[in-house]
Amino acid sequence: FLMKVKLEIRHYMIFFLSILELIGMFKYGFSLVFLHVFVALLSALLIDTIANFIKLKRFIISPSTIITGLIVAGVLSFDSSNHLLIAAIASAVAVLAKQFIAYNKKHIFNPASIGILVVSIFFTSAVSWWAASNIWLTIIFGVFILYKLRKYELTLSYLIAHSIIVIAIAIFTKSSILPNLALTNPYFVSFMLIEPITSPLKKKARIVYGSLVAVISLISLQIFPAIDHSIAGLLVANAISRLLDKRFG
């Protein structure tokens, strides 16, 4: 007989992220990229397993940790000679942040983002978003996840605010609009912006949150160009996500 398996959003995300990274492996060099992904995943799972055993006295492999490792691997560049070290450190920091920077037993910051931010500060050219090499497939997967999570207002508020600001910047600086619109990152929007735990629960709060991520990220791009602006904007918004729920709930 066939066993009926209930799929959660986490299972879909693991599948979609794995497909995108498998495409990247064939595009950029299978052995190089496979090792990059393997090290990021291994580091995330190892640190999470140890932390869970210390806290709960039992071994647990969490699907969310697999997602964190896959996102870290898919965002960080594999071009540098020390890319394996960078991936391992980023995954370790991400999992430690998830385990120990929490409120009411829920992590405050998007784990992958905080790991990526830390290595971006200490290593140059750490971020490449290579897993989004197939843009259209990334968008299709993102639309499916958005449909499952029903966080339309969050995504739309981000995209609208982001588009308005970059168009205004283009007009003010008399530059081309299309390259500025290309700053919109479909991988970020699809897999990181709408993470359920670190984004607001209330509808109005989500609208404010999405707009804030867009505004803060574009400000960050001007002030801290060496740090990925999407990551910076998301982490700042993560920090006030709970407050937005209280204020606009």
Side-chain angles (χ1 to χ4, degrees):
F1 62 95
L2 294 176
M3 182 180 293
K4 192 173 182 179
V5 178
K6 183 180 179 181
L7 294 177
E8 299 177 1
I9 189 64
R10 296 179 299 175
H11 302 130
Y12 288 114
M13 288 188 71
I14 290 172
F15 176 71
F16 292 156
L17 290 166
S18 299
I19 291 295
L20 292 173
E21 294 185 8
L22 186 61
I23 291 172
M25 290 177 194
F26 285 105
K27 182 174 182 179
Y28 299 113
F30 192 92
S31 58
L32 171 68
V33 181
F34 175 83
L35 188 58
H36 177 80
V37 174
F38 176 78
V39 168
L41 272 173
L42 180 63
S43 175
L45 290 169
L46 182 62
I47 298 298
D48 195 52
T49 300
I50 293 172
N52 282 329
F53 184 77
I54 292 172
K55 291 167 65 176
L56 306 173
K57 304 304 180 185
R58 56 196 177 104
F59 292 105
I60 299 174
I61 296 178
S62 169
S64 63
T65 302
I66 297 175
I67 293 171
T68 296
L70 288 172
I71 291 177
V72 166
V75 172
L76 293 179
S77 172
F78 45 76
D79 289 335
S80 64
S81 58
N82 57 349
H83 70 97
L84 296 180
L85 174 64
I86 294 173
I89 293 173
S91 285
V93 171
V95 172
L96 289 172
K98 184 188 76 168
Q99 287 279 359
F100 299 107
I101 306 178
Y103 177 75
N104 285 341
K105 297 182 179 181
K106 293 183 178 180
H107 54 268
I108 298 172
F109 298 103
N110 178 280
S113 291
I114 201 164
I116 292 165
L117 175 68
V118 169
V119 295
S120 297
I121 293 172
F122 294 101
F123 300 94
T124 58
S125 303
V127 176
S128 69
W129 301 94
W130 63 268
S133 60
N134 190 314
I135 297 294
W136 291 112
L137 191 56
T138 303
I139 293 172
I140 291 170
F141 288 162
V143 169
F144 181 86
I145 291 171
L146 181 60
Y147 167 75
K148 285 290 185 180
L149 290 176
R150 302 289 199 274
K151 290 196 174 186
Y152 306 111
E153 59 280 341
L154 194 164
T155 303
L156 288 174
S157 63
Y158 171 83
L159 292 174
I160 291 170
H162 193 279
S163 299
I164 290 173
I165 296 170
V166 297
I167 289 172
I169 292 173
I171 293 173
F172 182 76
T173 58
K174 297 180 179 179
S175 57
S176 177
I177 292 177
L178 286 178
N180 285 281
L181 286 176
L183 289 170
T184 304
N185 185 332
Y187 188 94
F188 168 77
V189 175
S190 299
F191 299 107
M192 302 175 76
L193 175 66
I194 57 178
E195 191 217 355
I197 295 178
T198 56
S199 57
L201 300 173
K202 309 298 183 180
K203 184 175 181 179
K204 290 181 180 178
R206 289 175 185 171
I207 295 172
V208 177
Y209 177 86
S211 302
L212 276 176
V213 174
V215 172
I216 296 168
S217 65
L218 291 170
I219 292 174
S220 172
L221 181 62
Q222 304 302 316
I223 301 175
F224 306 108
I227 297 175
D228 186 270
H229 67 287
S230 298
I231 297 294
L234 181 62
L235 288 173
V236 173
N238 284 165
I240 60 172
S241 175
R242 304 292 187 272
L243 295 176
L244 292 176
D245 264 332
K246 291 180 180 180
R247 175 64 180 83
F248 297 98

